[in-house]
Amino acid sequence: MALGDKVRDKAAADLLRRTLVSSGTSSGAESHPEPEILAAYSERALDADETANCELHFSQCARCRDQLALMVRAAAPTGALTQDARARRFHRMWPWTWFVLTPVTTALLIAAVFIARRPASKPAAEQPLMAMQTPSQPPMPSTAPETAPEDRVQKAQETLPATPASPPSASPSRAFDGTTQRKSSDFASMPQSIKQEPDNALPQEDKKLRLPQTMATGPAVPKAKSSGQSGDAVGIRAQTETVTVESAAPPVTTAPAPQTLTNPKTADTLSPASGAAPAAAAPKREQPAFVAGVAHNALATNEMVVVEAPFDRGARTLVRSPDPQVLWRISSGRYVERSVNGGATWRVQWTNADASVVAGSAPSADACWLVGRGGIVLRTTDANKWQTIAPPADADFASVAAIDASSATVTTTDGRQFKTRDGGKHWTVAP
Amino acid sequence: MNPRLAQPRSAPKAASVQPPVATTPVAMPGLPPASAGRTADSQRFPASLADAVERCWRKAAGPAAWIPTRDEFQAALERSAAKRFPGAQPYAQKDSEKIEVYLDTLHARDLALAVACSKGSAAAWDFFMVEFRPELYRAARAIVGQATGGDAAARDLADSLYADLYGLRESVAGRRKSLFEYFHGRSKLSTWLHALLSQRHVDEIRRTRATEPLENESGEVIAEAETPGAARPANATSFEAQADPERANYLAALQVAMAAVLGALDPRDRLRLAYYYADDRTLAEIGRLLGEHEATVSRKLERTRRDVGSRVEARLRDGKKWSEAQVRACLECARGEWPFDLTAHLQPADSTDAKRDLSAIGSSAAARKI
């Protein structure tokens, strides 16, 4: 008589459990692999034979299995509950959450319906944002009385809460979209504790891109330096520079923005409109270097753009790969970040570089070259492990242009160029 | 901190390709012929490995304040290679090629830091403390978890490592023996530190609370004792077992067949089974431990379990010439409560092989003696 599948499976499971528990907790394995072997195993750095030997031992040794489990826990980001743990916690709390969530959800629904039925009144601050995104459109008519720009600024400062004093080095005009900004302390602990930023990791201010001067389109940029060859870390310099733009647009009388936003951190007061109204008042004036609509166009190229830095975190250089979803972001010398979803989430990768990384080039979705000060040349070919390349010269590098994972040209801050075709093993001076 | 790259103190020109087999040791260009850091178990590299050493040296470039001398670094590479390939002859072409590939996989920078720290360089220790202490505390907090003392216990665990890393305890020869000497660059230094912390915590738990299981990732205590048969004494011969000798025979035969089948399994399949059945870990945890997707773990577990079941049945049917009815009765016995634990009397079929293999992957006995 044939046994049923369920009987077989249950019997096999019981047998396995009893046998493995017994053999796994026995003291048969007196000599355990060294910690370095365990570490290399957890990094998948052992060869096939060593891995098989280790796994054979682990299958019989509960101590080593416990150790490996703790190592996985130690390598996990701080405070990050695993999905499994979250699921368990959720199931444990389910009876309580049911009674709590139901009335809360109902209340939220009622509130949402109430808000939806209110007469639509667009928040005043949204209008300038729309204008920024569509600078070519004519200004929307406004019912607000026309006032001079200076009056608007003063009125806005009166209506908004008091802000701390502006630092002396702050740019006289800096865009601020009024969205919630992250605290500087969130970034201070970043290298030690965070492996992955939250899902909404790209802050609103990051989405406004500061154009490198060579990408500026439209009006001439008389004082802009050429990027990449400028003799310094372009990304870092661009953070604090403002570019003098000669506006070619004729003076346009537009309805004044009803409210001017003030950066609560720096107290820099701006006109959040598209720039047309202030430009009309002063045809030649210092203007924020980024214009959101143009910046997105600039991203379509495979060039480096600089994202506005969030407070004390330093400049962040964005490197775009041919795959529009894959982006690299250089935050400091020690680590870079990679996004595979167009910047929605970022994953931190350690580079082991001591000096500042200032520029990069990604010839493919998986390959990326980075250069920086102090002779730093880094490369990854698998979007995971970073390899320190022996530099062609002990110099500060300003830019890199990669053709593929093996071929790249690096440029020093004094203008010398070196080329490699074999992944950095050999360099030649570029003519 | 923005240290500049340290230049090689003696910038040797990369050696040209040497004949495949060298018969005499050739000193590295620009290096003194002997080093106090070398031990008897490591051999000097031949000139054919000069390029590989040069690449490692360039990768190891670090702050000039603590970077070890190139000779010290090469000695560390030689120790590392000797540890990985015991008995290898670097002057033989085959071994030389293996060693070259091996050297390229080393974490040279971390190895250089370990060498400098083991030599007692104050600058290296400063660098290590700045770079790794926060990570050490963070990892200790993650390892200790929430149920066993929190931050204080984590700090104790991390702090207990410093003395051994520095080597306060002297060896028999009176020399300070740093734990860093056991780091050979095969993994990242941070991962190695995680392994040390984990080892200490596991040993501490097992020593002080041998009967109390570890907690899992969510802070819950894993109920090992709930596993049927796990907590039973090995030699507990109950009245029930004596009263049903036929059942005892069935179970013993099952255990022998199961041990043989498990011994023939692929090590990874066997490890996956152990995580699931012996440690009672979830599929997600096993996936993280093995670097596999949760669905893959589930699929392979299911396949292995069916495979093991069918092999055990075949072994009973063919080896013992049992009828289908006997096999069925035997498996039915396995489903019920077992009157006693026979497994403690069994040795894994490949225990001798396993012990022999372990000698190849190194033992932590020496490290734990410090």
Side-chain angles (χ1 to χ4, degrees), chain A residues 42-397:
Chain A
S42 70
E43 290 180 356
R44 320 276 182 245
L46 299 179
D47 60 29
D49 290 343
E50 284 183 304
T51 302
N53 288 334
C54 280
E55 289 181 342
L56 184 61
H57 171 78
F58 298 153
S59 70
Q60 300 168 350
C61 179
R63 174 186 178 271
C64 286
R65 291 200 302 272
D66 284 341
Q67 194 175 337
L68 284 169
L70 288 178
M71 288 173 66
V72 168
R73 195 196 296 185
T78 302
L81 275 177
T82 62
Q83 287 185 347
D84 188 61
R86 278 198 206 103
R88 277 190 201 153
R89 191 162 288 186
F90 178 77
H91 286 305
R92 223 168 29 201
M93 295 173 63
W94 172 244
W96 297 102
T97 51
W98 176 259
F99 291 112
V100 173
L101 286 179
T102 304
V104 170
T105 310
T106 309
L108 286 175
L109 280 174
I110 292 171
V113 170
F114 177 74
I115 292 171
R117 291 192 172 190
R118 284 176 59 192
S121 59
K122 183 173 287 188
E126 287 183 9
Q127 291 186 10
L129 283 179
M130 287 179 58
M132 284 186 71
Q133 289 161 3
T134 56
S136 60
Q137 291 180 354
M140 298 287 291
S142 171
T143 55
E146 283 195 14
T147 52
E150 295 78 8
D151 294 337
R152 278 185 274 127
V153 170
Q154 188 176 358
K155 187 176 289 183
Q157 285 175 336
E158 288 169 1
T159 54
L160 289 176
T163 56
S166 168
S169 62
S171 168
S173 63
R174 178 179 294 181
F176 178 70
D177 57 9
T179 55
T180 305
Q181 303 208 14
R182 290 192 285 188
K183 298 175 183 175
S184 59
S185 58
D186 293 343
F187 299 103
S189 60
M190 183 87 182
Q192 288 83 21
S193 59
I194 297 180
K195 298 288 182 192
Q196 186 173 11
E197 292 192 6
D199 289 341
N200 54 353
L202 190 62
Q204 287 297 320
E205 61 266 27
D206 288 357
K207 292 176 181 173
K208 292 189 297 183
L209 302 171
R210 186 186 292 268
L211 281 177
Q213 292 83 339
T214 51
M215 293 180 184
T217 57
V221 186
K223 293 185 181 177
K225 294 179 180 178
S226 63
S227 67
Q229 315 293 330
S230 61
D232 203 338
V234 177
I236 293 176
R237 287 176 58 115
Q239 180 193 3
T240 53
E241 281 182 358
T242 53
V243 181
T244 303
V245 178
E246 293 221 2
S247 175
V252 180
T253 16
T254 60
Q259 188 178 11
T260 302
L261 298 177
T262 302
N263 187 332
K265 190 80 176 177
T266 61
D268 291 341
T269 307
L270 306 170
S271 168
S274 62
K284 181 175 180 180
R285 61 181 296 274
E286 286 206 333
Q287 194 177 10
F290 45 84
V291 180
V294 183
H296 285 298
N297 292 337
L299 272 177
T301 66
N302 190 17
E303 293 188 50
M304 183 183 70
V305 295
V306 179
V307 183
E308 187 186 15
F311 305 125
D312 58 344
R313 198 178 174 185
R316 298 205 275 186
T317 303
L318 194 67
V319 180
R320 189 172 178 85
S321 76
D323 184 347
Q325 295 297 313
V326 178
L327 302 172
W328 294 90
R329 188 163 67 176
I330 305 166
S331 297
S332 77
R334 294 290 294 174
Y335 63 92
V336 298
E337 294 159 293
R338 182 172 186 260
S339 172
V340 294
N341 48 19
T345 58
W346 295 88
R347 181 173 291 276
V348 174
Q349 295 183 354
W350 296 94
T351 62
N352 279 335
D354 284 330
S356 298
V357 176
V358 298
S361 177
S364 68
D366 290 336
C368 185
W369 291 72
L370 300 176
V371 296
R373 299 179 180 181
I376 286 292
V377 182
L378 302 168
R379 183 187 67 146
T380 180
T381 56
D382 57 359
N384 186 20
K385 288 185 177 177
W386 285 93
Q387 179 187 2
T388 303
I389 304 289
D394 181 26
D396 294 339
F397 293 106

Side-chain angles (χ1 to χ4, degrees), chain B residues 270-282:
Chain B
R270 183 175 169 140
L271 178 58
R272 201 180 292 109
L273 289 175
Y275 278 136
Y276 188 77
Y277 288 109
D279 296 351
D280 208 16
R281 297 198 181 278
T282 64

Side-chain angles (χ1 to χ4, degrees), chain A residues 3 8 18 22 32 34 36 43-44 47 50 55 63 65 73-74 76 78 82 88 92 334 354, chain B residues 83-84 109 138 142 184 186 191 203 216-217 220 268 279 282 291 313 328 334 338 343 363-364:
Chain A
L3 287 172
R8 279 198 169 90
R18 290 183 172 110
S22 183
H32 306 277
E34 289 182 357
E36 188 175 29
E43 290 180 356
R44 320 276 182 245
D47 60 29
E50 284 183 304
E55 289 181 342
R63 174 186 178 271
R65 291 200 302 272
R73 195 196 296 185
T78 302
T82 62
R88 277 190 201 153
R92 223 168 29 201
R334 294 290 294 174
D354 284 330
Chain B
K83 176 82 177 169
R84 172 64 185 92
R109 186 177 166 78
R138 188 201 64 77
H184 296 99
R186 299 199 65 186
T191 315
D203 288 346
N216 62 14
E217 290 186 12
E220 298 166 344
R268 174 155 281 227
D279 296 351
T282 64
E313 282 184 42
R328 184 173 183 275
W338 289 22
T343 56
S363 163
S364 63

Side-chain angles (χ1 to χ4, degrees), chain B residues 9 31 35 57 66-75 115:
Chain B
R9 293 179 189 178
L31 294 182
S35 166
W57 177 243
W66 57 259
I67 196 75
T69 65
R70 178 161 172 158
D71 196 26
E72 290 170 343
F73 183 70
Q74 184 178 340
V115 168

Side-chain angles (χ1 to χ4, degrees), chain B residues 119-235:
Chain B
K119 299 286 180 192
S121 161
W125 269 96
D126 288 344
F127 186 86
F128 173 77
M129 296 298 272
V130 169
E131 289 291 310
F132 289 92
R133 185 164 60 177
E135 170 62 18
L136 210 55
Y137 283 144
R138 188 201 64 77
R141 276 194 295 273
I143 287 171
V144 168
Q146 302 153 357
T148 48
D151 280 355
R155 196 161 282 266
D156 286 346
L157 176 64
D159 289 344
S160 71
L161 205 56
Y162 287 126
D164 287 340
L165 284 173
Y166 186 73
L168 293 180
R169 301 170 199 175
E170 292 184 349
S171 66
V172 179
R175 190 172 71 87
R176 183 174 60 82
K177 189 80 170 172
S178 167
L179 205 57
F180 277 117
E181 293 182 20
Y182 294 92
F183 180 75
H184 296 99
R186 299 199 65 186
S187 69
K188 290 180 190 169
L189 194 56
S190 57
T191 315
W192 180 68
L193 293 170
H194 292 173
L196 290 177
L197 289 174
S198 306
Q199 186 187 59
R200 283 170 185 246
H201 187 60
V202 167
D203 288 346
E204 183 67 18
I205 292 285
R206 286 177 173 261
R207 185 168 58 246
T208 58
R209 303 187 304 172
T211 57
E212 194 167 333
L214 296 170
E215 63 181 41
N216 62 14
E217 290 186 12
S218 59
E220 298 166 344
V221 171
I222 299 172
E224 285 183 17
E226 290 176 5
T227 309
R232 293 174 180 268
N235 54 356

